[in-house]
Amino acid sequence: MKITALIVAAGRGSRASGPGLLPKQYALIGGEPVLTHTLRAFALHPEIQAIQTVIHPDDRDAYAAAVTVPELRLKLVPAVHGGSTRQASVRLGLEALKVIEPSVVLIHDAARPFVDTAVISQVIDALRSAPGAIAAAPVADTLKRATDAGFVASTVERANLWRAQTPQGFVFAAILDAHLRAAQGGRADFTDDAALAEWAGIAVKLVESSDRNSKITTQDDLAMAASRLGPDYETRTGTGFDVHKFTDGDHVWLCGVKIPHDKMLDGHSDADVGLHALTDALLGTIGDGDIGTHFPPADPQWRGMASSKFLAHAAQRVAEHGGKIINVDITLLCEAPRVGPHREAMQAAISQVLGIGPGRIGIKATTTEGLGFTGRREGIAAMAQATVQLPAIGPGARK
Ligand code: MG
């Protein structure tokens, strides 16, 4: 049995998106478009051999972005454009599938990303003995028929009532023929393929599914779908390196602490080499340039500026991305001054700016054994690393 899937993603879905926004099948949940989740469910199913997607021509770019994940590449055939109704879109998708001569096709809504492997398998199994089979959920609520005035007219017996979902699987030749006949006969009013199959006299078996496979229709559905996937974080690191040379003076600023010394560091700001390296490390975690991008050295307003301001700005940028600083680590390279006596004060100063505890702030120092410019006491070098946690959900996710 050559088994294919047809994913219907051409709808405009205005209820869950809105003006200027992409249709709901391209909204992000868990950091990925809804459609990507849906396609993955079929791509990873061992019995599905090819996947045809039907898209709206306006969504070409969004579609291209939704299918970049490698696990989708093997089974996806080039997408085709849909028609003005869902029914027309399915027919166009079926016609495109003709060239690969499938024996059965599973037609599925792009906006049902939580379809599970077991339901797909059960629909396929049912098709071994029936020309049609659909996922459906038994009706659990008591059903009321209403009067025009909004009163209960009667209670509907819910035994044997099901809510149709997708996938809806059919013998390929039979459903293609039914679609072509419906189109020729001017019938464009079928809301799902099972209704069209019913009209065409194709027997359709019900496969029990659950509410988990429900369709994302509204903004609330989207929010629920995102929360179902749970918080999705990713960890990022950034590094920084800086050097400042000594000049005449009586103190240096290192990691936010003023230390008496027989020289000072030269620079436009307070020349705090440790905080400069750390600022770059934080900016590095979000790909946001470096300290010079944000505070150009040629700009006189940064002259004599406390470098804690630069660090606070970088921390703010990370926070604007929804990021949380996990830890930072700085190594100072110099012969003097000695760093050890000031370590706790440095941790406290950085803790104050970043809002993380001193146990998350590494301050280390090393000499370079008298070698190089630091060994010759011409200046101080600093390296830093920062680790942050960023949400992979919502604006900016996975960018
Ligand atoms: Mg610097």
Side-chain angles (χ1 to χ4, degrees):
M1 207 156 67
K2 191 184 232 179
I3 303 165
T4 55
L6 174 60
I7 309 300
V8 194
R12 306 324 291 145
S14 51
R15 271 179 294 178
S17 50
L21 293 174
L22 282 167
K24 60 185 182 274
Q25 60 269 35
Y26 295 103
L28 297 183
I29 53 171
E32 289 184 316
V34 168
L35 177 60
T36 306
H37 293 275
T38 306
L39 289 172
R40 185 182 285 116
F42 286 88
L44 296 182
H45 193 286
E47 291 186 90
I48 303 285
Q49 290 165 49
I51 304 170
Q52 174 72 63
T53 309
V54 186
I55 65 169
H56 192 282
D58 290 352
D59 300 340
R60 257 178 308 215
D61 292 345
Y63 177 73
V67 297
T68 52
V69 281
E71 64 265 33
L72 302 184
R73 297 225 179 97
L74 278 178
K75 295 181 180 177
L76 266 184
V77 301
V80 293
H81 294 160
S84 59
T85 62
R86 184 187 185 282
Q87 187 185 324
S89 294
V90 171
R91 178 175 47 78
L92 291 164
L94 291 171
E95 292 193 73
L97 269 177
K98 261 195 304 195
V99 291
I100 60 174
E101 298 179 334
S103 43
V104 304
V105 59
L106 270 53
I107 302 165
H108 186 73
D109 298 322
R112 294 185 195 271
F114 296 114
V115 58
D116 64 37
T117 308
V119 168
I120 296 173
S121 297
Q122 285 164 35
V123 170
I124 292 170
D125 284 346
L127 289 172
R128 297 183 208 281
S129 57
I134 66 168
V139 170
D141 298 325
T142 299
L143 297 178
K144 304 293 183 190
R145 193 181 306 281
T147 65
D148 288 343
F151 286 87
V152 171
S154 61
T155 297
V156 180
E157 176 58 53
R158 73 174 177 222
N160 296 329
L161 283 184
W162 296 72
R163 287 178 294 122
Q165 300 179 342
T166 67
Q168 302 194 344
F170 304 95
V171 168
F172 180 78
I175 196 68
L176 174 62
D177 177 65
H179 264 278
L180 293 175
R181 282 196 287 126
Q184 280 156 15
R187 289 291 306 266
D189 53 332
F190 295 110
T191 53
D192 74 348
D193 300 287
L196 194 144
E198 189 185 332
W199 168 80
I202 300 170
V204 177
K205 180 130 179 57
L206 293 162
V207 167
E208 184 164 346
S209 178
S210 71
D211 285 343
R212 196 175 155 73
N213 185 30
S214 60
K215 192 172 178 177
I216 295 175
T217 307
T218 64
Q219 281 295 347
D220 280 352
D221 296 340
L222 260 182
M224 196 116 73
S227 71
R228 203 190 276 186
L229 286 167
D232 190 354
Y233 290 99
E234 57 188 30
T235 305
R236 301 188 185 186
T237 57
T239 64
F241 179 76
D242 196 28
V243 172
H244 281 262
K245 66 180 178 194
F246 282 127
T247 186
D248 292 339
D250 61 3
H251 69 275
V252 291
W253 281 94
L254 281 179
C255 297
V257 175
K258 187 177 181 181
I259 301 170
H261 195 50
D262 56 3
K263 291 168 185 162
M264 66 181 276
L265 290 173
D266 193 22
H268 277 87
S269 63
D270 63 11
D272 188 329
V273 66
L275 292 193
H276 291 186
L278 181 53
T279 299
D280 272 356
L282 280 175
L283 293 173
T285 64
I286 51 172
D288 195 12
D290 60 20
I291 194 167
T293 319
H294 293 263
F295 305 98
D299 189 335
Q301 66 171 308
W302 315 126
R303 188 170 293 278
M305 173 75 88
S307 297
S308 56
K309 291 278 196 304
F310 304 153
L311 183 62
H313 176 77
Q316 173 68 26
R317 297 290 292 174
V318 170
E320 283 165 8
H321 283 67
K324 197 174 121 185
I325 299 167
I326 305 299
N327 76 302
V328 299
D329 194 18
I330 301 171
T331 301
L332 297 164
L333 296 92
C334 57
E335 302 293 324
R338 287 187 59 219
V339 168
H342 305 285
R343 179 174 288 116
E344 274 184 37
M346 292 173 172
Q347 286 174 309
I350 293 171
S351 172
Q352 184 86 26
V353 177
L354 298 185
I356 57 174
R360 295 172 185 269
I361 301 165
I363 305 283
K364 307 180 322 292
T366 182
T367 71
T368 52
E369 302 277 343
L371 301 173
F373 69 86
T374 53
R376 293 188 298 271
R377 299 172 186 250
E378 293 167 2
I380 300 181
M383 359 191 266
Q385 176 149 335
T387 304
V388 306
Q389 196 176 50
L390 281 176
I393 292 176
R398 299 250 161 94
K399 280 194 185 135

